[in-house]
Amino acid sequence: GAHPPLAIPPACANIASMLRLCASRVLPRAAAPRAPLAGCLRRAFSAVSTHSEGEPGTPSYRLRFKDASGKEVSPWHDIPLFTGEEGVLNALFEIPKNTKPKMEVATKEAQNPIAQDVKKGKLRDYHGPIFWNYGMFPQTWEDPNVVHSETKCAGDNDPVDVVEIGSEALPQGAIEKVKVLGTLAMIDDGELDWKVIAIRVSDPLAAELGDIEDVEAKCPGVISGIREWFRWYKTPDGKPLNAFGYDEKALNRAHALEVIAETHGAWKKLVGGQTDKGKLWLK
């Protein structure tokens, strides 16, 4: 049958309304997201350009990345994490806000292009749109061989995720400088899956947000909106609710930067051959 707008069970339709309200309270509704970014990415990492292969919405679609010389590069391994500015990092965006296709860097494919996730042979879409720009931090890795001391969960074998709360819908493939504000410790099927909350440095609101308490003060409802969206989003597929560590609190900027530093260290061990790579593609 048809799902409610956020595809949450009918008994919880009030949560869908709440999430829409939370999203609307960040900043005015953004324009429809632009097409995947082509050409030069000048905003944060000018040496990289993108080009697409195949048609969006098909299994063959890939968004690939090239350096200034035209050589294909990996958005996971070759884009630098650090910008030289304290608390400001490069982030790669896979999913524009207000869209549904579940796009992600293909960690097991050569050069790690962006592709649509496939589950059980079918292209994966969210059951309702995500209200924030969603992507990952390059040169990070949540190590599945390491159990986190507080949550007692191991990493999910992926780069660290970033939820960008600014006003503009960022195109797929955008590389942006973001200001880290805090993080949620999501637990998905027994794996730790950090959701770092950030805002694009060039967003009009960025100057007013320095830490997670500023998000609560200036953008009331946004943190709870992110938490509830990620808690519920898999339930239409019969999956259980996701959980959150640290009593479900959004941890502050300092803690988020510690997480990023730890996962960058894990990535360095991975690419240095000190950790078993499994099926992951490394340079």
Short mmCIF file of all heavy atoms in Angstrom, two decimals, residues 8-61:
data_model
loop_
_atom_site.label_atom_id
_atom_site.label_comp_id
_atom_site.label_asym_id
_atom_site.label_seq_id
_atom_site.Cartn_x
_atom_site.Cartn_y
_atom_site.Cartn_z
N ILE A 8 6.44 6.45 7.25
CA ILE A 8 6.43 6.01 8.64
C ILE A 8 5.08 5.34 8.88
O ILE A 8 4.06 5.76 8.32
CB ILE A 8 6.63 7.20 9.58
CG1 ILE A 8 8.06 7.74 9.39
CG2 ILE A 8 6.38 6.86 11.02
CD1 ILE A 8 8.32 9.03 10.11
N PRO A 9 5.04 4.26 9.66
CA PRO A 9 3.77 3.58 9.90
C PRO A 9 2.68 4.57 10.29
O PRO A 9 2.94 5.56 10.99
CB PRO A 9 4.11 2.64 11.07
CG PRO A 9 5.56 2.36 10.90
CD PRO A 9 6.16 3.62 10.35
N PRO A 10 1.42 4.32 9.85
CA PRO A 10 0.34 5.29 10.07
C PRO A 10 0.18 5.73 11.51
O PRO A 10 -0.14 6.89 11.78
CB PRO A 10 -0.89 4.53 9.58
CG PRO A 10 -0.36 3.59 8.56
CD PRO A 10 1.00 3.16 9.05
N ALA A 11 0.42 4.81 12.44
CA ALA A 11 0.24 5.18 13.85
C ALA A 11 1.21 6.28 14.28
O ALA A 11 1.01 6.95 15.28
CB ALA A 11 0.47 3.95 14.74
N CYS A 12 2.26 6.46 13.47
CA CYS A 12 3.27 7.46 13.82
C CYS A 12 3.25 8.62 12.84
O CYS A 12 4.25 9.31 12.66
CB CYS A 12 4.65 6.83 13.83
SG CYS A 12 4.75 5.42 14.97
N ALA A 13 2.12 8.85 12.20
CA ALA A 13 2.04 9.91 11.20
C ALA A 13 2.37 11.27 11.80
O ALA A 13 2.84 12.17 11.10
CB ALA A 13 0.65 9.94 10.57
N ASN A 14 2.12 11.42 13.10
CA ASN A 14 2.44 12.70 13.73
C ASN A 14 3.94 12.97 13.69
O ASN A 14 4.37 14.12 13.64
CB ASN A 14 1.95 12.73 15.18
CG ASN A 14 2.59 11.66 16.02
OD1 ASN A 14 2.74 10.52 15.59
ND2 ASN A 14 2.97 12.00 17.23
N ILE A 15 4.75 11.91 13.69
CA ILE A 15 6.20 12.10 13.60
C ILE A 15 6.56 12.63 12.23
O ILE A 15 7.43 13.49 12.09
CB ILE A 15 6.94 10.77 13.89
CG1 ILE A 15 6.71 10.38 15.36
CG2 ILE A 15 8.42 10.89 13.59
CD1 ILE A 15 7.34 9.10 15.78
N ALA A 16 5.86 12.16 11.18
CA ALA A 16 6.12 12.67 9.84
C ALA A 16 5.86 14.17 9.79
O ALA A 16 6.64 14.94 9.23
CB ALA A 16 5.24 11.94 8.82
N SER A 17 4.76 14.60 10.42
CA SER A 17 4.45 16.02 10.45
C SER A 17 5.53 16.79 11.21
O SER A 17 5.95 17.88 10.80
CB SER A 17 3.09 16.25 11.11
OG SER A 17 2.08 15.59 10.38
N MET A 18 5.98 16.20 12.30
CA MET A 18 7.01 16.84 13.10
C MET A 18 8.30 17.01 12.30
O MET A 18 8.94 18.08 12.33
CB MET A 18 7.27 16.02 14.37
CG MET A 18 8.33 16.63 15.30
SD MET A 18 10.02 16.15 14.91
CE MET A 18 10.01 14.46 15.47
N LEU A 19 8.67 15.98 11.54
CA LEU A 19 9.91 16.06 10.77
C LEU A 19 9.82 17.11 9.68
O LEU A 19 10.78 17.84 9.43
CB LEU A 19 10.22 14.70 10.15
CG LEU A 19 10.64 13.59 11.13
CD1 LEU A 19 11.01 12.35 10.37
CD2 LEU A 19 11.78 14.03 12.01
N ARG A 20 8.67 17.20 9.03
CA ARG A 20 8.51 18.24 8.01
C ARG A 20 8.63 19.62 8.64
O ARG A 20 9.22 20.53 8.08
CB ARG A 20 7.17 18.08 7.30
CG ARG A 20 7.16 16.90 6.32
CD ARG A 20 5.97 17.00 5.39
NE ARG A 20 4.70 16.88 6.10
CZ ARG A 20 4.11 15.73 6.37
NH1 ARG A 20 4.66 14.59 6.00
NH2 ARG A 20 2.95 15.70 7.01
N LEU A 21 8.07 19.78 9.85
CA LEU A 21 8.17 21.05 10.55
C LEU A 21 9.62 21.35 10.90
O LEU A 21 10.10 22.47 10.69
CB LEU A 21 7.32 21.02 11.83
CG LEU A 21 7.42 22.27 12.71
CD1 LEU A 21 6.89 23.49 11.98
CD2 LEU A 21 6.65 22.05 14.01
N CYS A 22 10.34 20.34 11.39
CA CYS A 22 11.75 20.54 11.75
C CYS A 22 12.54 20.99 10.54
O CYS A 22 13.37 21.90 10.62
CB CYS A 22 12.34 19.24 12.30
SG CYS A 22 11.71 18.76 13.92
N ALA A 23 12.30 20.33 9.40
CA ALA A 23 13.04 20.69 8.19
C ALA A 23 12.74 22.11 7.78
O ALA A 23 13.62 22.86 7.37
CB ALA A 23 12.69 19.72 7.07
N SER A 24 11.48 22.51 7.92
CA SER A 24 11.09 23.85 7.46
C SER A 24 11.64 24.94 8.36
O SER A 24 11.71 26.09 7.96
CB SER A 24 9.56 23.95 7.41
OG SER A 24 9.01 23.95 8.72
N ARG A 25 12.06 24.57 9.57
CA ARG A 25 12.54 25.58 10.51
C ARG A 25 14.03 25.83 10.40
O ARG A 25 14.56 26.68 11.08
CB ARG A 25 12.19 25.17 11.94
CG ARG A 25 10.68 25.18 12.17
CD ARG A 25 10.32 24.68 13.54
NE ARG A 25 10.61 25.67 14.57
CZ ARG A 25 10.25 25.52 15.84
NH1 ARG A 25 9.59 24.44 16.20
NH2 ARG A 25 10.55 26.43 16.72
N VAL A 26 14.74 25.09 9.55
CA VAL A 26 16.18 25.35 9.42
C VAL A 26 16.37 26.71 8.79
O VAL A 26 16.91 27.63 9.36
CB VAL A 26 16.86 24.29 8.53
CG1 VAL A 26 18.35 24.49 8.59
CG2 VAL A 26 16.48 22.90 8.98
N LEU A 27 15.90 26.84 7.56
CA LEU A 27 15.98 28.07 6.78
C LEU A 27 14.89 27.97 5.74
O LEU A 27 14.29 26.91 5.58
CB LEU A 27 17.36 28.15 6.11
CG LEU A 27 18.53 28.61 7.02
CD1 LEU A 27 19.83 28.40 6.29
CD2 LEU A 27 18.39 30.06 7.43
N PRO A 28 14.61 29.03 4.99
CA PRO A 28 13.57 28.92 3.98
C PRO A 28 13.81 27.75 3.04
O PRO A 28 14.95 27.38 2.77
CB PRO A 28 13.68 30.25 3.24
CG PRO A 28 14.25 31.19 4.25
CD PRO A 28 15.18 30.37 5.09
N ARG A 29 12.72 27.17 2.55
CA ARG A 29 12.81 26.01 1.67
C ARG A 29 13.73 26.29 0.49
O ARG A 29 13.66 27.31 -0.16
CB ARG A 29 11.41 25.65 1.15
CG ARG A 29 11.42 24.47 0.19
CD ARG A 29 10.02 24.16 -0.26
NE ARG A 29 9.23 23.61 0.84
CZ ARG A 29 9.25 22.33 1.17
NH1 ARG A 29 10.01 21.48 0.54
NH2 ARG A 29 8.50 21.91 2.15
N ALA A 30 14.62 25.36 0.23
CA ALA A 30 15.57 25.53 -0.87
C ALA A 30 14.88 25.27 -2.20
O ALA A 30 13.86 24.60 -2.28
CB ALA A 30 16.73 24.54 -0.71
N ALA A 31 15.47 25.83 -3.23
CA ALA A 31 14.99 25.54 -4.58
C ALA A 31 15.24 24.07 -4.88
O ALA A 31 16.02 23.39 -4.21
CB ALA A 31 15.74 26.42 -5.58
N ALA A 32 14.57 23.57 -5.91
CA ALA A 32 14.76 22.17 -6.31
C ALA A 32 16.25 21.93 -6.58
O ALA A 32 16.95 22.79 -7.12
CB ALA A 32 13.95 21.89 -7.57
N PRO A 33 16.76 20.76 -6.17
CA PRO A 33 18.19 20.50 -6.34
C PRO A 33 18.58 20.52 -7.80
O PRO A 33 17.83 20.10 -8.67
CB PRO A 33 18.37 19.11 -5.73
CG PRO A 33 17.01 18.51 -5.70
CD PRO A 33 16.06 19.65 -5.54
N ARG A 34 19.78 21.01 -8.04
CA ARG A 34 20.28 21.03 -9.40
C ARG A 34 20.73 19.64 -9.82
O ARG A 34 20.87 18.73 -9.01
CB ARG A 34 21.46 22.00 -9.50
CG ARG A 34 21.09 23.42 -9.10
CD ARG A 34 22.17 24.39 -9.52
NE ARG A 34 23.45 24.14 -8.86
CZ ARG A 34 23.76 24.64 -7.69
NH1 ARG A 34 22.89 25.35 -7.00
NH2 ARG A 34 24.95 24.41 -7.16
N ALA A 35 20.98 19.49 -11.10
CA ALA A 35 21.47 18.22 -11.64
C ALA A 35 22.85 17.94 -11.05
O ALA A 35 23.51 18.83 -10.53
CB ALA A 35 21.54 18.31 -13.15
N PRO A 36 23.32 16.67 -11.14
CA PRO A 36 24.66 16.35 -10.66
C PRO A 36 25.68 17.35 -11.20
O PRO A 36 25.62 17.76 -12.36
CB PRO A 36 24.90 14.94 -11.21
CG PRO A 36 23.54 14.35 -11.29
CD PRO A 36 22.63 15.49 -11.66
N LEU A 37 26.62 17.71 -10.35
CA LEU A 37 27.55 18.77 -10.68
C LEU A 37 28.49 18.34 -11.79
O LEU A 37 29.12 17.29 -11.72
CB LEU A 37 28.35 19.13 -9.43
CG LEU A 37 29.19 20.40 -9.50
CD1 LEU A 37 28.27 21.60 -9.66
CD2 LEU A 37 30.00 20.53 -8.23
N ALA A 38 28.58 19.13 -12.83
CA ALA A 38 29.53 18.87 -13.91
C ALA A 38 30.52 20.02 -13.96
O ALA A 38 30.26 21.11 -13.47
CB ALA A 38 28.79 18.74 -15.24
N GLY A 39 31.66 19.77 -14.55
CA GLY A 39 32.64 20.82 -14.69
C GLY A 39 33.46 21.01 -13.43
O GLY A 39 33.57 20.12 -12.61
N CYS A 40 34.03 22.18 -13.30
CA CYS A 40 35.01 22.41 -12.22
C CYS A 40 34.31 22.69 -10.89
O CYS A 40 33.37 23.46 -10.84
CB CYS A 40 35.89 23.59 -12.61
SG CYS A 40 37.35 23.74 -11.58
N LEU A 41 34.78 22.03 -9.85
CA LEU A 41 34.24 22.25 -8.50
C LEU A 41 35.10 23.32 -7.83
O LEU A 41 36.06 23.04 -7.14
CB LEU A 41 34.31 20.94 -7.71
CG LEU A 41 33.52 19.77 -8.32
CD1 LEU A 41 33.85 18.49 -7.57
CD2 LEU A 41 32.05 20.04 -8.24
N ARG A 42 34.74 24.58 -8.02
CA ARG A 42 35.62 25.66 -7.60
C ARG A 42 35.47 26.01 -6.11
O ARG A 42 36.34 26.64 -5.55
CB ARG A 42 35.34 26.92 -8.43
CG ARG A 42 35.81 26.77 -9.87
CD ARG A 42 35.70 28.08 -10.63
NE ARG A 42 36.32 27.98 -11.94
CZ ARG A 42 35.70 27.53 -13.01
NH1 ARG A 42 34.45 27.12 -12.93
NH2 ARG A 42 36.32 27.48 -14.17
N ARG A 43 34.36 25.60 -5.50
CA ARG A 43 34.10 26.14 -4.17
C ARG A 43 35.11 25.69 -3.14
O ARG A 43 35.51 26.44 -2.28
CB ARG A 43 32.70 25.73 -3.71
CG ARG A 43 31.59 26.45 -4.47
CD ARG A 43 30.27 25.91 -4.01
NE ARG A 43 29.18 26.53 -4.74
CZ ARG A 43 28.01 25.96 -4.90
NH1 ARG A 43 27.79 24.77 -4.41
NH2 ARG A 43 27.05 26.56 -5.53
N ALA A 44 35.49 24.42 -3.16
CA ALA A 44 36.33 23.92 -2.08
C ALA A 44 37.59 23.23 -2.58
O ALA A 44 38.61 23.26 -1.92
CB ALA A 44 35.53 22.96 -1.19
N PHE A 45 37.54 22.59 -3.73
CA PHE A 45 38.68 21.80 -4.18
C PHE A 45 38.75 21.91 -5.69
O PHE A 45 38.27 21.08 -6.43
CB PHE A 45 38.50 20.34 -3.73
CG PHE A 45 39.77 19.54 -3.84
CD1 PHE A 45 40.90 19.92 -3.16
CD2 PHE A 45 39.82 18.41 -4.63
CE1 PHE A 45 42.07 19.18 -3.24
CE2 PHE A 45 40.99 17.66 -4.74
CZ PHE A 45 42.12 18.06 -4.04
N SER A 46 39.37 23.01 -6.15
CA SER A 46 39.24 23.43 -7.54
C SER A 46 39.90 22.48 -8.52
O SER A 46 39.65 22.57 -9.72
CB SER A 46 39.81 24.83 -7.71
OG SER A 46 41.18 24.84 -7.35
N ALA A 47 40.75 21.57 -8.05
CA ALA A 47 41.46 20.70 -8.98
C ALA A 47 40.60 19.54 -9.48
O ALA A 47 41.02 18.80 -10.36
CB ALA A 47 42.72 20.16 -8.32
N VAL A 48 39.42 19.36 -8.93
CA VAL A 48 38.61 18.18 -9.25
C VAL A 48 37.39 18.56 -10.09
O VAL A 48 36.73 19.56 -9.82
CB VAL A 48 38.14 17.48 -7.95
CG1 VAL A 48 37.16 16.36 -8.26
CG2 VAL A 48 39.34 16.92 -7.20
N SER A 49 37.13 17.76 -11.12
CA SER A 49 35.91 17.92 -11.92
C SER A 49 35.19 16.59 -11.97
O SER A 49 35.75 15.54 -11.61
CB SER A 49 36.24 18.40 -13.33
OG SER A 49 37.04 17.44 -14.01
N THR A 50 33.94 16.61 -12.38
CA THR A 50 33.13 15.38 -12.43
C THR A 50 32.59 15.16 -13.82
O THR A 50 32.42 16.09 -14.61
CB THR A 50 31.94 15.46 -11.45
OG1 THR A 50 31.08 16.52 -11.86
CG2 THR A 50 32.39 15.69 -10.03
N HIS A 51 32.31 13.89 -14.12
CA HIS A 51 31.57 13.54 -15.34
C HIS A 51 30.75 12.30 -15.06
O HIS A 51 31.14 11.45 -14.24
CB HIS A 51 32.50 13.33 -16.53
CG HIS A 51 33.33 12.09 -16.45
ND1 HIS A 51 34.45 11.98 -15.65
CD2 HIS A 51 33.19 10.88 -17.06
CE1 HIS A 51 34.98 10.78 -15.77
NE2 HIS A 51 34.24 10.08 -16.62
N SER A 52 29.60 12.22 -15.69
CA SER A 52 28.70 11.09 -15.43
C SER A 52 28.74 10.09 -16.58
O SER A 52 29.02 10.44 -17.73
CB SER A 52 27.27 11.60 -15.22
OG SER A 52 26.82 12.29 -16.36
N GLU A 53 28.45 8.84 -16.22
CA GLU A 53 28.30 7.76 -17.19
C GLU A 53 26.95 7.12 -16.96
O GLU A 53 26.53 6.93 -15.81
CB GLU A 53 29.38 6.69 -16.99
CG GLU A 53 30.79 7.15 -17.25
CD GLU A 53 31.81 6.06 -16.94
OE1 GLU A 53 31.40 4.97 -16.48
OE2 GLU A 53 33.01 6.30 -17.16
N GLY A 54 26.27 6.75 -18.04
CA GLY A 54 24.97 6.11 -17.90
C GLY A 54 23.90 7.12 -17.51
O GLY A 54 24.17 8.30 -17.28
N GLU A 55 22.67 6.63 -17.40
CA GLU A 55 21.54 7.49 -17.08
C GLU A 55 21.23 7.43 -15.58
O GLU A 55 21.20 6.34 -15.00
CB GLU A 55 20.29 7.04 -17.86
CG GLU A 55 20.36 7.32 -19.35
CD GLU A 55 20.44 8.81 -19.64
OE1 GLU A 55 19.70 9.58 -18.99
OE2 GLU A 55 21.26 9.21 -20.49
N PRO A 56 20.97 8.60 -14.96
CA PRO A 56 20.53 8.55 -13.56
C PRO A 56 19.29 7.68 -13.42
O PRO A 56 18.44 7.64 -14.31
CB PRO A 56 20.21 10.02 -13.25
CG PRO A 56 21.05 10.80 -14.20
CD PRO A 56 21.10 9.98 -15.47
N GLY A 57 19.22 6.94 -12.30
CA GLY A 57 18.09 6.05 -12.09
C GLY A 57 18.25 4.69 -12.73
O GLY A 57 17.30 3.91 -12.79
N THR A 58 19.45 4.39 -13.24
CA THR A 58 19.74 3.06 -13.80
C THR A 58 20.94 2.46 -13.07
O THR A 58 21.76 3.20 -12.52
CB THR A 58 20.05 3.12 -15.31
OG1 THR A 58 21.31 3.80 -15.50
CG2 THR A 58 18.95 3.86 -16.06
N PRO A 59 21.07 1.13 -13.09
CA PRO A 59 22.19 0.50 -12.38
C PRO A 59 23.56 0.89 -12.93
O PRO A 59 24.55 0.77 -12.23
CB PRO A 59 21.93 -1.00 -12.58
CG PRO A 59 20.47 -1.11 -12.87
CD PRO A 59 20.11 0.13 -13.62
N SER A 60 23.61 1.35 -14.18
CA SER A 60 24.91 1.65 -14.79
C SER A 60 25.39 3.07 -14.50
O SER A 60 26.52 3.43 -14.83
CB SER A 60 24.84 1.45 -16.31
OG SER A 60 23.90 2.34 -16.89
N TYR A 61 24.56 3.90 -13.89
CA TYR A 61 24.93 5.30 -13.66
C TYR A 61 26.11 5.40 -12.70
O TYR A 61 26.13 4.77 -11.65
CB TYR A 61 23.75 6.09 -13.08
CG TYR A 61 24.13 7.50 -12.70
CD1 TYR A 61 24.23 8.49 -13.67
CD2 TYR A 61 24.41 7.83 -11.38
CE1 TYR A 61 24.60 9.79 -13.32
CE2 TYR A 61 24.77 9.11 -11.02
CZ TYR A 61 24.86 10.09 -12.01
OH TYR A 61 25.23 11.36 -11.66
#
